[in-house]
């Protein structure tokens, strides 16, 4: 019995009226863990019940502790009929299992019902006592820390980076079980929520086991996703990077010479395979029509995989890293983006393990008998192999910034994986032999140097000597999925660059459908790539970071959205301009037209240069030493329809070959393209945007932070739309969203939208859904010119002396959370007047501290000063970034991974779909905040909304929505060296203004 | 581009004060967009009409979701759904409970019942306040009234505590509740020239001097232990007021009072002659008002009586505000010198309020 879970139900507040006759509620609480249930007494006739229950104790295996959530159900007691459920709270107790994270969960949780939403709040206290367990064959992995953050967490040092971990579990979706045809929607939703909670618990435990096996103690860049495959089941899968982390004692500087080991990549550097044709953005698409599993090899030629020696036999041998930013010296060279997609047909997932005794039959595909080839695991394995071989073709032995995703429509599923091929520092490898690098490259440009052999380039590219060190070769354009390395030398500022594309397809079924989709994929990738390249040139930039390409499938169309942050890397050559060429040069009117367009393009480029402050130092040809003897020539940009469709992996995506880009106007398509190129509205003055962690060129953030989620759904009205028409609609949709953000956040100027994360979906035949999560952060305009690269990386944390920090800490805590110490006191309910007197005094003390007590004739009357009683709610900041500007994270409290379903049968009454979703998103935010506050935290970093799936049926007045969010709960304090000991009176003010910057 | 769905949710709830005001004023979304466009917000950030519409819709939705919480403002402070910084919460509450003086003037002293609510159309049309805004304001009055009606303790404090309003607004609400509870007549034609603020001032005077709560200062530490009601006038005091009749029924006393006042006033004002000739009438008027206050009906007519019995005669004689001040001060003080007049405390308590009410109500 290795663990004891203890829970105590303290009180409730703002409960809904359940008894119409008395306008009151007779509430009691059921606390359930596993199969054990406890009940509190019924608290009669109160909307603010005080249960003050005993400690309910559950004696359980730590395996269960990891898998199961604590389930708290609030009910209304009814003598004659069945008790009515008011709502539930699921509490993930995983953070309590790790000694370094939270020690107690205590706080107010919103009581959530899948039909009615939040109905009041409940105060719960949870503790765990773990016993030492020396069983070698244990199934639990308590103590392994999980981080969503895709870099080494701020208060840790990476002792060792072990490598890639992945796992997936599959189950039947309760929504699709026959029993649900007769179950109530509430029961079905709750079954689903609970199942997913269980599955992700199990998944996390299994990943933890793998990490322990590898000798690590943490997973960084943990990415968990759900595939709701409908009839064929429900898949929960996760990837991450196993690490051994060491906690830095607060105040000590992070160790710059972090010892990093790469056991899985310790083999000698990959040999080149010069015969392989491969583009810089190496990509491939294939279809495995999974209808005939026994024969099942693909129908598409995949020239990149077969010639390589098969990878080492034991699984998990992928040199992949989900991290997007790295400790200094880790990343040596970056090759380019590698991606792979595959179209699959979903079949019913066979579920042989029905004899399981657990309440929900969980099954993971690793345990399934080997003669069942068509498993999700095998699919992913295939994709990963492909990625690995692409990386090898680029002369790289590792893939960084790696991620996986799916898009499902009916029974078709597109699996995608992408990352950045890279060479990591072999000095830190265990058997660091065969060293390729004679001399260390300078950090500001080293990663740009080509990893492949100049004479045997994997794809045609124009190489020059590095503009910074002038010793090694660099490509003319660099695309990556990672964040800009902080030490990289950058000219000017970065900006968000998006390529958007719609492609119609015929409605079809099964194999025909899958084939049609996989035929379209390469063209889509090509066009997205072309768009990106054109837009990059238009902004006079030469590299993309954080590139994320999403291809979403619907019944009658495919949507492609590529987002990245464009940057001018000082080490790379300046991009050439864009030239327009007409097909029939004779016509005068045409000529004129072309000239006008050319002028517009040139003007835009000049304007952008100014806007993004791109003034690269002028270099003469002699210094650079023009290494490519080839004379300058113009290359024609091929349009996709002229390409042969068979040579998928040989697509030449390397437009950057020549210094000037030629767009040939030969048909209306091209005209459309140029128009779409020029219609991207520039960001209004005072705004910047990017989709990465760090905004190149801005590093003096101030404290204003506003995280937001925005969802738009557009209904296509016209039945016979063309590709162009669709493209226009889709582009406008995205552009208008951005415009809306700028308008709403105008009070934060100067401000930057960071980590702009767009997700597109085709929820129904004529609907396009765009979901965006991002954070707006204010910065100090005057210091924007400061260079990041100049700052020694150690400087950040070694500022204040020990004593100062200790002094600062308690002050900061109450400042940051609008008084964290009073979290357990509820000033709101003054029902019991006599006993609140003490609280009144405390409140008074608080208000005095805030400096807002007015002196007056009748002082006794001013106890309830004008300050509203907001003191009982901790302010929790949320951000998709791994840090909060101006603060220092002092503790990671554990991962937040929550899944909610909301349904309504009174859509109109709730304000239509917009009202419904608005409420739901606000509810999700509040539940995340409540959980973080209960863990003792005051912020969520690396927050993301992984899923926002909306289904509506306005005719039936119904709608349903599923949301999955995740992030890292943290405690952060204001950075010491930024504001030396603020006086107590202005603390309240500054913290308020910090959170209010956005309004 | 019309959206099937369009939402924007911030971790810190984003609220535009201008849009909030438009919402409170009862503008429809489209009208609000028009007002905003005219206000020039579009140029500010290169926005289009679409953007403005989308933003306005979002904000309106947020306000609607918040409205439930604003009905019991203490909930706004400890609810978890919206993360709103404290000073924004205060702003939301304050604005929500702010009312139009023109509107409140119409319902002041009326019963806050369904019947009155039905008349809101007419009031709206008369005052130019939208029906939606009228309803909100009326419901606010009713809600505050309902909560405070049964509570013990100082009225203004109760309102401030339960509705987290500023001192000024809490006092205004106290006036509204006080007027509604005592059903003071304010609608008569003769009272039309008085503004809400005039009445609110008078209500403040009555509350702090003529109610039960006004008598004893409650203990500083246990304010809620003292059981008194602030909403009702002190019945005992009203009974005692009858004793003041002696000032007009006793001929000697009346003459003595007159001569004292006249001696003090002589040479100090141009209106001396009018004061001298009107003294007995005016004094009878004021003392009679006091003596009749035991009847609920006469309490209701308190303000109309003040106007008819005192203010109008003075005005017809063209007294200035300074004259009034001078006259009433001496009228009040001289009573203290009358040796046979024993009711000094009651007299002061009565005259103190009447004096300041008349000062406020006497517009030149």
């Amino acid at each position: 019995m290795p663990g004891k879970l203890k829970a105590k139900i303290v009180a409730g507040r703002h409960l809904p009226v359940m008894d119409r006759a008395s306008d009151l509620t007779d509430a009691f609480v059921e606390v359930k863990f596993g199969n054990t249930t406890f009940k509190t007494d019924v608290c009669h006739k109160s909307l603010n019940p005080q249960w003050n229950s005993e400690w309910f104790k559950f004696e359980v295996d730590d395996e269960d502790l990891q898998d199961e959530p604590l389930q708290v159900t609030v009910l209304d007691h009814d003598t004659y009929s069945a008790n009515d459920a008011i709502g539930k709270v699921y509490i993930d107790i995983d953070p309590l299992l790790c000694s370094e994270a939270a020690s107690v969960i205590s706080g107010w949780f919103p009581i959530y019902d899948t039909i009615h939403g939040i109905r009041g709040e409940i105060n719960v206290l949870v503790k765990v006592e773990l016993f030492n367990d020396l069983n070698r064959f244990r199934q639990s992995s308590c103590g392994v820390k999980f981080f969503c953050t895709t870099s080494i967490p701020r208060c840790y040092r990476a002792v060792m980076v072990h490598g890639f971990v992945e796992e997936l579990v599959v189950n039947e979706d309760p929504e699709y079980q026959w029993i649900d045809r007769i179950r109530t929607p509430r029961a079905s939703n709750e079954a689903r929520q609970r199942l997913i909670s269980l599955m992700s618990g199990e998944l996390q435990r299994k990943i933890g086991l793998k990490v322990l096996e590898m000798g690590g103690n943490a997973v960084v860049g943990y990415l968990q996703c759900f595939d709701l495959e409908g009839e064929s089941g429900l898949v929960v899968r996760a990837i991450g990077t196993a690490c051994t982390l060491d906690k830095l004692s607060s105040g000590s500087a992070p160790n710059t010479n972090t010892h990093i080991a790469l056991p899985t990549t310790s083999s000698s550097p990959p040999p080149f395979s010069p015969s392989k044709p491969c583009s810089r953005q190496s990509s491939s698409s294939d279809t495995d029509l999974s209808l005939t599993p026994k024969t099942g090899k693909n129908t598409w030629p995949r020239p990149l995989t077969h010639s390589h020696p098969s990878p080492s036999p034991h699984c998990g041998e992928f040199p992949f890293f989900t991290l997007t930013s790295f400790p200094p010296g880790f990343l040596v060279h970056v090759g380019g983006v590698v991606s792979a997609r595959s179209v699959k047909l979903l079949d019913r997932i066979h579920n042989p393990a029905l004899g399981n005794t657990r309440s929900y039959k969980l099954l993971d595909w690793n345990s399934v008998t080997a003669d069942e080839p068509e498993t999700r695991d095998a699919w992913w394995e295939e994709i990963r192999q492909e990625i690995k071989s692409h990386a090898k073709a680029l002369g790289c032995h590792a893939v960084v910034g790696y991620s996986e995703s799916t898009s499902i429509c009916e029974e078709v599923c597109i699996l995608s994986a992408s990352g950045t091929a890279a060479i990591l520092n072999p000095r830190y490898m265990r058997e660091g032999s065969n060293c390729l690098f004679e001399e260390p490259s300078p950090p500001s440009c080293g990663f740009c140097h080509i990893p492949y052999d100049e004479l045997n380039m994997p794809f045609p590219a124009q190489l020059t000597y590095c503009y910074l060190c002038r010793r090694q070769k660099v490509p003319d354009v660099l695309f990556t999925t990672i964040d800009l390395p902080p030490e990289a030398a950058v000219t000017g500022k970065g900006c968000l660059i998006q390529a958007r594309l719609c492609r119609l397809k015929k409605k079809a079924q099964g194999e025909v459908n899958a084939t049609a989709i996989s035929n379209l994929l390469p063209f889509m990738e090509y066009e997205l790539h072309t768009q990106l390249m054109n837009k990059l040139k238009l902004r006079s930039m030469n590299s993309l970071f954080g590139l994320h390409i999403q291809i979403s499938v619907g019944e009658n169309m495919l949507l492609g959205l590529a987002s990245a942050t464009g940057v001018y890397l000082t080490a790379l050559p300046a991009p050439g301009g864009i030239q327009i060429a007409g097909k029939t040069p004779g016509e005068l009117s045409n000529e004129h037209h072309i000239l006008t367009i050319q002028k517009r393009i040139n003007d835009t480029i000049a304007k952008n240069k100014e806007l993004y402050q791109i003034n690269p130092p002028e270099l003469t040809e002699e210094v650079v030493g023009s290494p490519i003897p080839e004379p300058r020539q113009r290359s024609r940009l091929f349009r996709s329809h002229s390409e042969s469709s068979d040579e998928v992996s040989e697509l030449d995506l390397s437009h950057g070959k020549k210094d000037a880009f030629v767009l040939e106007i030969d048909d209306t398509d091209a005209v459309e393209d140029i128009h779409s190129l020029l219609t991207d509205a520039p960001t209004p003055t005072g705004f910047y945007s990017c989709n990465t962690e760090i905004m190149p060129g801005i590093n003096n953030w101030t404290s204003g932070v506003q995280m937001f989620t925005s969802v738009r759904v557009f209904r296509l009205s016209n039945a016979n739309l063309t590709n162009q028409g669709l493209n226009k609609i889709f582009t406008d949709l995205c552009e208008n969203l951005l415009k809306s953000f700028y308008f709403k956040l105008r009070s934060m100027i100067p401000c930057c939208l960071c980590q702009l994360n767009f997700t597109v979906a085709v929820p129904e035949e004529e609907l396009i859904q765009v979901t965006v999560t991002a954070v707006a952060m204010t910065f100090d305009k005057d210091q924007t010119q400061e260079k990041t690269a100049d700052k020694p990386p150690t400087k950040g944390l070694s500022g204040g002396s020990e004593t100062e920090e200790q002094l600062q800490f308690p002050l900061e805590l109450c400042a940051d959370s609008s008084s964290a110490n009073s979290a357990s006191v509820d000033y709101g309910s003054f029902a019991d007047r006599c006993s609140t007197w003490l609280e009144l005094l405390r409140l008074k003390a608080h208000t005095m501290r805030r400096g807002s007590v007015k002196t007056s004739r009748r002082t006794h009357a001013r106890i309830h000063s004008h300050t509203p009683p907001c003191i009982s709610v901790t302010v929790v900041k949320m951000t998709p970034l791994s840090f909060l500007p101006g603060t220092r994270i002092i503790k990671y409290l554990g991962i937040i991974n929550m899944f909610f379903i909301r349904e309504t049968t009174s859509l109109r009454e709730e304000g239509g779909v917009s009202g419904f979703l608005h409420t739901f998103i606000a509810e999700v935010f509040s539940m995340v905040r409540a959980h973080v506050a209960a863990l003792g935290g005051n912020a969520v970093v690396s927050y993301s909304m992984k899923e926002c799936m909306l289904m509506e049926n306005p005719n039936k007045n119904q709608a349903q929505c599923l949301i999955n969010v995740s992030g890292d709960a943290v405690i952060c304090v204001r950075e010491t060296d930024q504001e030396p000991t603020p006086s107590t009176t202005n603390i309240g003010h500054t913290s308020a203004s910090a959170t209010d910057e956005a309004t | 581009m019309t959206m099937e769905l369009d939402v924007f949710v911030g971790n810190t709830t984003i609220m535009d004060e201008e849009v909030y005001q438009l919402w409170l004023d009862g503008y429809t979304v489209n009208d609000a967009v028009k007002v905003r466009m005219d206000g020039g917000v579009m140029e500010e950030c290169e926005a289009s009409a679409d953007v403005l519409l989308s933003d306005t819709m979002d904000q309106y939705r947020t306000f609607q979701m918040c409205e439930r919480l604003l009905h019991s403002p203490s909930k706004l402070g400890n609810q978890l759904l919206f993360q709103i910084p404290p000073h924004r919460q205060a702003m939301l509450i304050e604005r929500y409970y702010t009312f139009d003086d023109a509107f409140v003037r119409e319902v002041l002293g009326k019963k806050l019942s369904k019947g009155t609510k039905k008349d809101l159309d007419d009031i709206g049309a008369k005052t130019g306040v939208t029906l939606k805004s009228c309803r909100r304001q009326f419901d606010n009055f009713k809600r505050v009234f309902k909560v405070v009606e049964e509570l013990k303790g100082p009225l203004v404090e109760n309102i401030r505590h339960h509705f987290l309003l500023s001192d000024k607004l809490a006092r205004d609400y106290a006036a509204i509740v006080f007027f509604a509870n005592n059903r003071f007549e304010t609608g008569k034609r003769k009272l039309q020239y008085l503004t809400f603020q005039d009445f609110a001032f008078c209500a403040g005077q009555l509350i702090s001097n003529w109610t039960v709560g006004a008598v004893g200062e409650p203990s500083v530490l246990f304010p809620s232990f003292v059981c008194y009601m602030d909403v009702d006038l002190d019945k005992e005091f009203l009974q005692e007021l009858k004793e003041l009749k002696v000032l007009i029924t006793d001929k000697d006393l009346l003459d003595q009072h007159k001569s004292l006042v006249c001696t003090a006033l002589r040479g100090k004002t141009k209106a001396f002659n009018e004061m001298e000739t009107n003294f007995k009438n005016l004094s009878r008027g004021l003392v009679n008002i006091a003596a009749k206050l035991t009847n609920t009906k006469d309490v209701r007519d308190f303000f109309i009586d003040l106007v008819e019995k005192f203010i109008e005669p003075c005005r017809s004689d063209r007294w200035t505000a300074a004259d009034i001040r001078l006259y009433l001060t001496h009228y009040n003080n001289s009573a203290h010198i009358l040796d046979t007049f024993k009711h000094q405390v009651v007299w002061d308590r009565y005259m103190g309020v009447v004096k300041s009410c008349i000062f406020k109500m006497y517009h030149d």
Side-chain angles (χ1 to χ4, degrees), chain A residues 866, chain B residues 94 97 99 144 148 155-178 196 207:
Chain A
H866 189 38
Chain B
E94 191 77 5
Y97 282 90
F99 46 79
V144 173
V148 179
L155 182 57
V156 178
E157 280 321 305
N158 281 339
I159 292 171
R160 190 167 31 206
H161 168 201
H162 275 91
F163 292 93
L164 308 168
L165 302 177
S166 67
D167 191 61
K168 170 77 176 70
L169 198 53
R171 286 182 189 282
D172 284 351
Y173 268 95
I176 293 163
V177 169
F178 189 71
F196 168 69
I207 291 167

Side-chain angles (χ1 to χ4, degrees), chain A residues 13-14 706-707 709-713 715 744 746 826 861 872 876 918 926 929 950 952 995-996, chain B residues 1 3-7 9 11-14 16 44 52 54-55 61 78 80-81 83 87-88 157:
Chain A
R13 68 182 181 196
H14 310 332
Q706 172 66 284
M707 188 281 291
T709 290
S710 184
V711 183
R712 284 195 182 178
V713 175
R715 187 177 285 281
K744 274 186 190 288
R746 64 192 184 284
D826 175 17
S872 58
V876 176
H918 193 135
S926 76
R929 288 193 301 258
L950 180 76
E952 51 163 330
T995 51
D996 188 40
Chain B
M1 227 173 165
M3 291 293 154
E4 176 91 359
L5 178 156
D6 182 2
V7 295
V9 191
N11 182 38
T12 302
T13 307
I14 292 184
D16 185 311
E44 204 177 298
L52 216 54
S54 147
D55 179 60
R61 222 170 18 238
N78 58 18
L80 303 175
L81 190 56
Q83 185 158 284
H87 70 279
R88 305 285 300 176
E157 280 321 305

Side-chain angles (χ1 to χ4, degrees), chain A residues 844-858:
Chain A
K844 186 183 180 185
H846 184 83
T847 39
M848 296 233 274
R849 200 155 52 80
R850 293 173 62 97
S852 62
V853 168
K854 301 166 201 154
T855 45
S856 79
R857 191 171 51 90
R858 294 163 70 182

Side-chain angles (χ1 to χ4, degrees), chain A residues 264-302:
Chain A
T264 55
T265 56
S266 57
S267 57
S268 61
F272 272 127
S273 25
S275 59
K276 301 276 138 28
C278 183
S279 68
R280 179 168 320 136
Q281 191 204 0
S282 174
S283 73
S284 70
S285 309
D286 71 331
T287 319
D288 269 8
L289 297 176
S290 331
L291 300 172
T292 51
K294 292 293 186 286
T295 54
K297 222 36 220 173
N298 54 43
T299 51
W300 287 100
R302 293 194 301 159

Side-chain angles (χ1 to χ4, degrees), chain A residues 208-226:
Chain A
L209 277 173
K210 287 190 174 178
V211 172
L212 290 175
E213 226 168 80
M214 294 164 94
N217 65 2
V219 181
V220 181
Y222 185 66
L223 174 74
Q224 186 191 290
C225 293
F226 302 94

